[in-house]
Amino acid sequence: MGFKSKLVNLKDSAINSMIYEAYYKEDIDENLVYLESRDGLDFTGNIFRIVEELSTGNYGDLKIHVHAKPHVVDKIKAFQKNYNLRIDEIITKEALATKTAEKARYIFTDAGIRPKYVKRQGQTFVHTWHGTPLKVMGIDNTAEEHRLGNTQHPLLSSDYLLYPNDFMAEKMLKGYMIEKIYPGKILFEGYPRNSIFFNDSFLKEKLGLIDKEIFVYMPTFRGILMDRNDDGQKRDVEDYLAQIDERLADNQILYAKLHVLNESTIDFDRFDHVRKFPEGWETYDVLNMADVLITDYSSVFFDYANSKRKIILFNYDEDDYCSYRGFYIPLDDLPFPKVQNVDDLVRELNSPKEYDDSEFIRTYCQYDNPEAAGNILKTVIRGEDASLVKTIGNGRKNVLIYAGSLTDDMVSKINDVADVDNYNVVLTFGQWDEYICKNHEEIFKKLPEGIDIIQFRFNLTPTLSEKENSRSLLERSFQKQFPNIEFEMIIDLTDKKDEISQILNNYIEK
């Protein structure tokens, strides 16, 4: 290791020492609540509504700490002013956010959790996710199947998984392969962000729009944006918005909520009737002003259906989008009208709702209600029976198998030892493994039916003291990777002592 590498390694160890001082030495702060939304990249939806409910002061003298990236801070401060939120600290630094999470009594997230976070005994972790899935996820999405660990870590760290309908619970638990082994509880309760649709809009009057007909356009995040190759989509969206703008009446306004890479490059000043979402207000408060929602493949329609107002699917690129992204529900099975051009879209905007969505609402808005955030906090913090809570699992004991890079000979050995008829068999591997990343589609087809996968997301990250006491490092690394899970047996099929083997064999010896 060169001098520069040694310095980087020493710096990382020093940061880890600061973070894990809380894990090893500090008591959990019984009054500390840690929250993050979309990995700190936003402050919205369920997490916003939980903070709003916590700010009522009905749950004791709690300290509310929110992790957010620097560019989100101004948004949070505007929300604090407009909604009278009581947030004690906004944490922008990654290491401090992780240390805060290690000390917190209660943790809430709607996506991930800090990568270095290790679940501690005595903490209560609630995971809300961020929407009922239309698009396939996890193991059901071939492009994602070899990197499930990014989502499995926060899911398995949780004590409560929140689902607003049975359909979502089934797809999430199976898609991320935790249905058999998740040891926590399922919270069947409405989404806090959806409670707004049970009330009339306060914002329409506040913004002076009582005499206006409001439309909201919220298209989905498209996969092409992941490659930052969004020029073509930006031109399409801008062209469609211009066409819609020309066709709207003077009493009609369309608010567009686009992906940040598109929204930041579109000149909304050129339009007469099309506007960006007003700043300082939560997304669903703006959406609740709408007489009609326009979307495409976004799960927002599951939420907005609670309002019983009209939904239009503007699927102008349906053939192209469906060629690379699968759906849990065929688009033709949805009750909403579909249009592919602006003329048909405007015609639908000016027509009444003429479809029956009652069965759709019964199925996908199953547990939504006006008091969801309060019910969740009463259940989690006060210990009241305010929500429907269930446990899952099949009663079988768990077996963990490690087989390195999953070459053909290793896959053959897995098939020999995996007793899926009597155990919950879990296969693990390094999410960074180049051979698996390149060949995962063929590899996964050869694995035994009924085997689940939990991927190692992390390399070893020692503190300064753990450099002298590797056993502590290995124990902490196992707890981070497999929080709350007990294994009857661990089978290491490799003969090399890589990091994963060291972690697993330390657990075996213990």
Side-chain angles (χ1 to χ4, degrees):
M1 183 182 294
F3 179 71
K4 186 176 181 180
S5 296
K6 287 182 179 179
L7 283 180
V8 171
N9 184 267
L10 184 62
K11 180 181 178 181
D12 287 344
S13 294
I15 293 172
N16 292 334
S17 297
M18 184 273 288
I19 292 172
Y20 294 123
E21 179 182 29
Y23 177 78
Y24 284 121
K25 297 180 180 179
E26 297 185 23
D27 293 335
I28 291 172
D29 186 335
E30 293 293 326
N31 294 316
L32 179 59
V33 185
Y34 171 90
L35 308 99
E36 64 174 74
S37 179
R38 306 300 178 93
D39 299 306
L41 296 171
D42 207 345
F43 181 67
T44 189
N46 293 325
I47 298 303
F48 167 83
R49 294 298 174 190
I50 289 170
V51 170
E52 186 179 40
E53 178 66 18
L54 286 169
S55 298
T56 63
N58 293 334
Y59 305 93
D61 187 21
L62 298 174
K63 294 173 287 188
I64 303 170
H65 289 201
V66 174
H67 168 55
K69 304 302 182 186
H71 72 273
V72 183
V73 172
D74 286 344
K75 178 178 182 176
I76 297 177
K77 289 182 177 179
F79 282 178
Q80 286 179 284
K81 178 181 177 181
N82 288 338
Y83 292 92
N84 196 28
L85 300 183
R86 184 177 64 80
I87 298 175
D88 296 284
E89 188 169 349
I90 302 170
I91 309 166
T92 58
K93 295 185 181 301
E94 175 77 16
L96 182 57
T98 309
K99 183 171 184 176
T100 303
E102 294 292 353
K103 294 165 57 178
R105 174 65 173 86
Y106 301 101
I107 298 173
F108 294 86
T109 181
D110 61 6
I113 188 67
R114 300 304 82 225
K116 292 186 178 184
Y117 168 74
V118 185
K119 176 70 180 297
R120 298 177 69 185
Q121 287 284 82
Q123 292 185 312
T124 301
F125 190 129
V126 181
H127 195 292
T128 76
W129 198 242
H130 46 267
T132 298
L134 172 66
K135 300 179 284 289
V136 294
M137 303 185 306
I139 199 68
D140 298 325
N141 179 16
T142 302
E144 186 185 357
E145 65 182 5
H146 60 298
R147 53 175 187 267
L148 303 180
N150 294 337
T151 301
Q152 288 173 326
H153 175 224
L155 292 178
L156 291 171
S157 296
S158 301
D159 298 284
Y160 294 93
L161 299 176
L162 171 65
Y163 298 124
N165 55 71
D166 295 342
F167 168 85
M168 181 180 176
E170 177 192 354
K171 299 308 179 188
M172 286 291 295
L173 295 169
K174 288 184 177 179
Y176 289 103
M177 309 193 88
I178 63 172
E179 180 183 34
K180 302 171 192 171
I181 62 170
Y182 175 66
K185 298 175 181 178
I186 307 300
L187 195 59
F188 289 104
E189 177 58 77
Y191 257 5
R193 71 185 189 191
N194 293 348
S195 294
I196 194 71
F197 297 122
F198 294 85
N199 303 311
D200 293 335
S201 171
F202 72 89
L203 194 55
K204 197 169 185 178
E205 181 177 0
K206 199 172 189 71
L207 297 180
L209 300 171
I210 290 296
D211 60 340
K212 300 295 184 181
E213 188 175 12
I214 306 295
F215 308 130
V216 166
Y217 179 39
M218 294 180 66
T220 193
F221 174 86
R222 280 163 168 74
I224 193 171
L225 294 176
M226 296 176 68
D227 299 321
R228 301 300 294 267
N229 182 22
D230 66 323
D231 287 344
Q233 187 187 349
K234 181 257 183 185
R235 287 192 297 270
D236 287 344
V237 170
E238 193 164 20
D239 181 58
Y240 285 127
L241 291 178
Q243 292 182 54
I244 296 168
D245 186 60
E246 292 175 355
R247 289 164 170 80
L248 293 181
D250 289 342
N251 70 324
Q252 294 176 325
I253 296 173
L254 184 143
Y255 283 105
K257 179 70 171 177
L258 308 176
H259 189 272
V260 64
L261 295 179
N262 281 336
E263 190 171 275
S264 61
T265 58
I266 291 177
D267 179 15
F268 282 86
D269 290 337
R270 61 177 285 202
F271 303 127
D272 294 322
H273 306 286
V274 177
R275 304 176 184 177
K276 287 200 304 185
F277 267 42
E279 295 182 356
W281 303 102
E282 207 280 324
T283 298
Y284 275 28
D285 281 325
V286 180
L287 179 56
N288 198 36
M289 295 194 301
D291 298 286
V292 180
L293 166 67
I294 309 164
T295 187
D296 44 23
Y297 321 103
S298 171
S299 65
V300 66
F301 62 66
F302 290 108
D303 300 341
Y304 186 74
N306 282 288
S307 73
K308 301 183 180 179
R309 296 172 225 152
K310 187 171 183 176
I311 297 169
I312 303 171
L313 302 184
F314 184 30
N315 306 117
Y316 61 85
D317 61 347
E318 181 176 342
D319 290 342
D320 177 62
Y321 191 86
C322 293
S323 69
Y324 64 86
R325 196 65 200 261
F327 300 97
Y328 285 123
I329 307 169
L331 296 181
D332 289 339
D333 288 354
L334 297 171
F336 320 117
K338 292 196 306 176
V339 297
Q340 280 78 39
N341 59 68
V342 172
D343 287 339
D344 289 343
L345 173 60
V346 173
R347 189 177 299 111
E348 282 291 345
L349 286 173
N350 291 305
S351 301
K353 177 182 174 182
E354 295 178 331
Y355 58 87
D356 181 6
D357 56 4
S358 56
E359 183 60 32
F360 181 91
I361 292 172
R362 277 193 296 271
T363 301
Y364 302 108
C365 305
Q366 186 177 2
Y367 301 112
D368 282 323
N369 67 85
E371 308 296 335
N375 292 340
I376 291 166
L377 295 178
K378 288 173 185 175
T379 300
V380 171
I381 295 178
R382 291 183 181 173
E384 299 178 11
D385 295 328
S387 301
L388 177 62
V389 178
K390 295 183 180 179
T391 57
I392 59 174
N394 56 15
R396 293 180 177 177
K397 294 182 178 180
N398 305 317
V399 172
L400 181 66
I401 298 176
Y402 176 55
S405 291
L406 302 184
T407 54
D408 284 346
D409 61 322
M410 283 297 182
V411 171
S412 178
K413 291 181 181 180
I414 292 169
N415 278 275
D416 289 339
V417 302
D419 185 2
V420 295
D421 293 328
N422 296 297
Y423 294 92
N424 299 324
V425 181
V426 176
L427 175 67
T428 192
F429 57 83
Q431 190 164 285
W432 56 86
D433 189 291
E434 293 182 4
Y435 178 81
I436 297 175
C437 290
K438 182 179 180 181
N439 301 287
H440 62 90
E441 290 188 46
E442 291 304 315
I443 292 171
F444 286 11
K445 292 176 184 176
K446 300 174 184 176
L447 294 174
E449 184 176 352
I451 197 169
D452 289 325
I453 295 167
I454 298 181
Q455 296 157 5
F456 251 88
R457 183 187 179 193
F458 314 100
N459 295 105
L460 292 173
T461 54
T463 65
L464 293 172
S465 63
E466 286 173 340
K467 286 178 174 291
E468 307 299 327
N469 182 5
S470 61
R471 182 170 290 276
S472 295
L473 168 62
L474 297 174
E475 290 177 359
R476 176 174 60 77
S477 298
F478 187 92
Q479 174 61 18
K480 179 166 68 170
Q481 180 63 39
F482 303 106
N484 305 321
I485 304 175
E486 294 185 2
F487 290 102
E488 175 75 8
M489 185 188 313
I490 295 179
I491 303 172
D492 183 359
L493 297 175
T494 69
D495 57 6
K496 58 180 182 179
K497 298 303 178 185
D498 59 15
E499 288 187 352
I500 296 178
S501 282
Q502 291 178 53
I503 294 170
L504 298 183
N505 281 288
N506 179 74
Y507 181 88
I508 295 170
E509 292 171 6
K510 188 182 74 170

